[in-house]
Amino acid sequence: MTTIDTATIAVELPDAFDPRWNRLPGIQVDGRRITIDPAEYFFRFESSTWLVADWELVKAQLLDVGETTESAVEQLALDFIKNHGESTSDAARVLATAYGVYSYLFREEHLAGLGLPQITADHLRMLREAATLMALNKVELDGHISNVGPCWFFPAATSVVFDLDDETGGMLDEVYHGGWFNEHRRIESIKAHAALGGRLVHGCQSVPDQSGGVVAPYGASMANFRDDLASSRRAGSSRSTPAALPQPSNPPQYGSGAGQLARARPGAHQPLETPMDQSLSAALLDDLCTLVGKPLPHRAEIRVWGMSGVERVTFPDGTTAVFKYAKEPFDREAQALRVAHQRGLPVPALHGTAMQDKWIGMLMDDLGTPVREADDLDGVAAAVMLHAARPATGLPLLDGAGLAALPGRALDHLQRLRKADRWADCDDIETALGKISAAAEARVQGATLDPFGWVHSEFHPTSVHIGENGWHLLDFARAFTGPGLIDLASYHGTTDVPSPFRMRVFLEQYVTAGGHEDALAARGGLAAEAWALGWHRMWAVEWFMEQAIRWIDDPAKDPAYIPVVRRHLGDVVQLLEV
C-alpha cells in the first residue's frame, strides 16, 4: 500500500513571490518563503514523489548541447534524465528546481523577440511564479493524472491571484505553453524541463475548459492522459479532489431547512426550533388526502424544525409521496413550483396544497433516495437550465437597489435587537454594516447583468436531487428574481471561508456548460467571483439578522447567530473591498 506524504511543504526561493497567492486555499506566501498544506491546496493529490535532475547539472551539461542528425533534442533530454534523474519526495526541492527552470525560460531578454508588446517584465514574473507551482502537478507513466493543484486551471488561477482579465490570463497561458512561439525557445524549453524529469504537455487553453498542463515523463501514455483530461473536464474539478478545496458535502445553513431530502449537520450554525404542533400538521395532511382522494398514510420524518418540515408518507396501497409544510416566510414554495413547472424546469410534481392557521401543506412526488450526491458538474447544469428559464413575474425582486438596501436593512434589524436589550456588544457589527452601506451604491453596479432572472436562493448540492429517473431541483421556498450569481455563490455553502478561486473555477464551468458569458464579467469594480461571494454573504447576513428579530425572535439563540454574522461580515468587507 502506497502512503502519501501530506506533511506541510515549505521552501525558501531566491525571490519573493506575490503575496496575492495567499488568496488561494492551502498556500501561504511570506516574502521568499512559501508554505503549502497539501490537504487544502491540491484538487487531487495521489503521489508525493517527483522525478527531478540537478538544475546546475542541466545548465552545465545539457543546455548548450545541440541536436544532431543522430540525436534529436528530445532524445538528448531523455538520455540526460535516464543518466541523472532521480525520484524525490522532497517537494521543496521540486519547487526550487522549477523556479530555476522558469527563471531561465521566462527571462526578460526574450521580451523583444516575443512579438507581444502587451507582455511586460511583470507578466514574466507572474509566469515564473505560476509555472513553479505547476511543477507539483504530476502525470504517471500510464497517463493517469495523479496531482492537480490550482495552477492547473491556469487562466482562473492567474485571474484570481494577479487580478488579470480573461484576455490577459489567456495570453499568458499561451506564452506558458507555446514556447514563446519560437522554435529556438521550444528547444530551450525541452532541455530545461529535463530538470523536472520530462517534457511540458498540456490540454489547457485560454478558454475555460478546465483541462491542464504538467511536466510529463517521456513515455507517458498521451492517449490515457487525454482520456483522463476529458473525464476530469466532464466531471468538473470536485470529483477529482479529496480535500483540496472545501467540498460541497454540506448545505449552507442559512436557508429554510425545508429541503426535501436535506441533511442537518451536527453543530451547524442554524439553530433548530421546536417542531410545529403535530395536530396542525395532521390537519394539513388530512385536508390534502381528502383533496387527492387518498386514505391517511403512515408518516416518517425526513427533516422537521420550527418553521417547516418534510416527511415521507406511505399510503395503504404502498405508494409514497412527500408531505411538506411551512409557515411564512417559507410559504411561497407552491407558487414557485407551479411556475417552475410551467417554465419546463425539472421540479417535483405538486399534487395538492392546503392551508391551516397560516401554514401551507403540500403533497408532491416522492423522488426517492438519491443515487448519489450532486457534484459541481450537476450544480452547473442545474444553474444553466434554471437561469435560462423565463423569469417568474410573481416572485420577489432583488435588483441593484435591493442589494444596496441590504446593509441598511441589517442595521435596522440591529437597532430593533438592541431596543430589546439584545446584541449589546456588537459595535463592530454596526461599524461593518455602516462601511458596507456607504460603499453599496458603487459595489452593486452590474447587478442586472446576465444571468438575471430566477434565483433559487437555497442552491446547494442537496437541492439537486439525482435519482434513477434523472435530476430534479428542490426547495424553491425562497426563490426570487435577481442576479443568478447569487445562486452560484451559494452552491458551496457558507460554513467555510469563501474561496474566490474556487468560485472562479465554478463560474468558468458554468459558462462552458452554456451559462451566459457575462457571468465572468466584472461588476461594481470587482471580479465576478468576489462580487458574487460578497453580495451573497451580505444577503445571508441580512437574512440571519431578520431571523433573529422576526422569524425566530428567541434571545437564547443569539449566541449562535452573532458569531456567524460577524464572520460573514468580515468576509463581505474583504470581498467587496469596502
Side-chain angles (χ1 to χ4, degrees):
M1 178 177 178
T2 302
T3 300
I4 306 302
D5 184 1
T6 58
T8 299
I9 300 166
V11 63
E12 192 162 299
L13 297 174
D15 302 302
F17 265 42
D18 195 308
R20 289 175 291 180
W21 283 106
N22 293 323
R23 296 175 177 177
L24 300 189
I27 181 170
Q28 289 294 318
V29 170
D30 183 9
R32 295 190 297 122
R33 185 173 179 81
I34 299 172
T35 306
I36 293 174
D37 178 358
E40 292 292 326
Y41 176 78
F42 285 96
F43 282 82
R44 181 190 291 180
F45 190 55
E46 300 173 355
S47 175
S48 54
T49 62
W50 295 265
L51 184 63
V52 295
D54 183 80
W55 172 236
E56 294 300 322
L57 196 64
V58 171
K59 290 195 293 182
Q61 298 187 14
L62 183 60
L63 292 186
D64 293 332
V65 177
E67 65 179 350
T68 69
T69 56
E70 302 296 327
S71 295
V73 64
E74 289 85 358
Q75 187 62 50
L76 292 172
L78 175 59
D79 290 342
F80 186 92
I81 294 168
K82 285 180 178 179
N83 293 327
H84 303 290
E86 56 183 306
S87 178
T88 181
S89 58
D90 183 358
R93 179 184 176 188
V94 177
L95 290 171
T97 301
Y99 191 71
V101 169
Y102 295 114
S103 295
Y104 169 73
L105 290 176
F106 300 120
R107 56 196 190 274
E108 293 183 24
E109 70 182 69
H110 291 325
L111 278 176
L114 180 59
L116 292 173
Q118 58 270 56
I119 296 292
T120 67
D122 196 45
H123 289 128
L124 295 190
R125 175 188 59 80
M126 297 175 191
L127 281 166
R128 289 193 292 269
E129 294 179 8
T132 295
L133 295 171
M134 285 277 283
L136 295 179
N137 294 338
K138 187 179 179 185
V139 63
E140 306 297 332
L141 276 171
D142 63 2
H144 172 67
I145 302 168
S146 51
N147 291 350
V148 178
C151 286
W152 188 282
F153 308 98
F154 194 95
T158 53
S159 171
V160 169
V161 173
F162 300 122
D163 302 308
L164 301 179
D165 58 34
D166 291 342
E167 180 180 358
T168 306
M171 184 167 54
L172 285 187
D173 188 39
E174 289 299 324
V175 172
Y176 169 62
H177 287 307
W180 296 70
F181 316 101
N182 178 296
E183 179 62 15
H184 179 64
R185 299 284 79 77
R186 186 190 73 84
I187 292 174
E188 201 173 63
S189 174
I190 291 171
K191 294 178 184 177
H193 278 101
L196 295 172
R199 54 179 173 156
L200 182 65
V201 298
H202 64 97
C204 115
Q205 306 293 333
S206 58
V207 295
D209 65 1
Q210 307 310 319
S211 300
V214 67
V215 178
Y218 285 94
S221 171
M222 289 296 101
N224 291 344
F225 174 67
R226 178 198 60 212
D227 292 343
D228 205 355
L229 278 175
S231 176
S232 297
R233 190 158 54 236
R234 287 192 301 268
S237 63
S238 67
R239 287 189 186 173
S240 61
T241 68
L245 294 176
Q247 290 303 291
S249 58
N250 298 307
Q253 299 298 316
Y254 55 81
S256 69
Q260 185 175 16
L261 293 169
R263 297 179 297 280
R265 188 175 78 164
H269 63 246
Q270 169 75 30
L272 295 185
E273 295 297 301
T274 303
M276 69 174 287
D277 183 351
Q278 288 298 306
S279 63
L280 182 56
S281 65
L284 282 169
L285 183 58
D286 184 66
D287 287 350
L288 287 167
C289 289
T290 300
L291 183 67
V292 299
K294 288 275 194 178
L296 288 175
H298 170 74
R299 301 167 61 179
E301 291 183 358
I302 296 175
R303 170 83 161 84
V304 176
W305 70 304
M307 302 181 74
S308 64
V310 189
E311 300 180 11
R312 176 171 285 111
V313 295
T314 304
F315 296 100
D317 62 1
T319 59
T320 62
V322 164
F323 171 43
K324 295 187 72 171
Y325 43 93
K327 67 177 181 179
E328 191 182 7
F330 307 118
D331 56 353
R332 298 193 307 265
E333 183 165 17
Q335 174 194 2
L337 284 173
R338 289 189 180 102
V339 177
H341 178 72
Q342 292 170 358
R343 300 291 193 266
L345 293 170
V347 296
L350 189 64
H351 301 302
T353 62
M355 294 292 297
Q356 285 273 354
D357 194 22
K358 297 184 179 180
W359 282 76
I360 187 172
M362 296 170 284
L363 206 61
M364 61 184 67
D365 275 351
D366 178 12
L367 301 177
T369 302
V371 297
R372 62 173 175 82
E373 185 176 85
D375 60 15
D376 280 14
L377 178 65
D378 302 311
V380 161
V384 169
M385 189 170 187
L386 176 67
H387 297 161
R390 184 161 55 89
T393 56
L395 296 180
L397 174 66
L398 187 69
D399 55 9
L403 285 174
L406 289 175
R409 291 176 58 182
L411 281 168
D412 291 342
H413 300 325
L414 181 60
Q415 290 177 3
R416 293 175 60 197
L417 286 161
R418 285 176 163 174
K419 286 180 180 179
D421 295 324
R422 298 162 60 187
W423 293 49
D425 298 324
C426 294
D427 290 347
D428 57 324
I429 291 177
E430 182 178 16
T431 299
L433 286 171
K435 290 180 179 179
I436 298 165
S437 183
E441 184 176 353
R443 290 296 185 242
V444 297
Q445 298 303 310
T448 56
L449 286 175
D450 284 327
F452 187 89
W454 279 91
V455 179
H456 182 281
S457 92
E458 296 187 82
F459 189 64
H460 48 74
T462 55
S463 300
V464 183
H465 182 281
I466 312 294
E468 294 180 355
N469 298 316
W471 66 271
H472 294 77
L473 269 174
L474 315 176
D475 305 336
F476 279 80
R478 299 190 65 221
F480 61 87
T481 297
L485 264 61
I486 297 293
D487 274 342
L488 298 171
S490 75
Y491 191 74
H492 296 126
T494 60
T495 57
D496 294 301
V497 176
S499 169
F501 171 72
R502 188 182 193 191
M503 181 66 192
R504 183 71 183 190
V505 171
F506 197 55
L507 288 175
E508 293 190 342
Q509 289 176 312
Y510 170 82
V511 172
T512 300
H516 200 284
E517 62 182 9
D518 280 351
L520 296 172
R523 302 159 187 244
L526 302 167
E529 58 272 20
W531 189 96
L533 289 168
W535 280 114
H536 172 259
R537 295 314 192 262
M538 186 61 245
W539 178 81
V541 163
E542 191 276 331
W543 164 240
F544 280 134
M545 297 181 74
E546 185 180 24
Q547 284 189 84
I549 190 60
R550 183 179 181 186
W551 305 116
I552 304 299
D553 197 15
D554 182 356
K557 306 298 182 185
D558 290 348
Y561 280 95
I562 291 172
V564 174
V565 167
R566 277 200 173 105
R567 176 165 60 84
H568 286 329
L569 280 177
D571 293 335
V572 174
V573 168
Q574 181 177 7
L575 290 162
L576 297 185
E577 299 180 11
V578 295

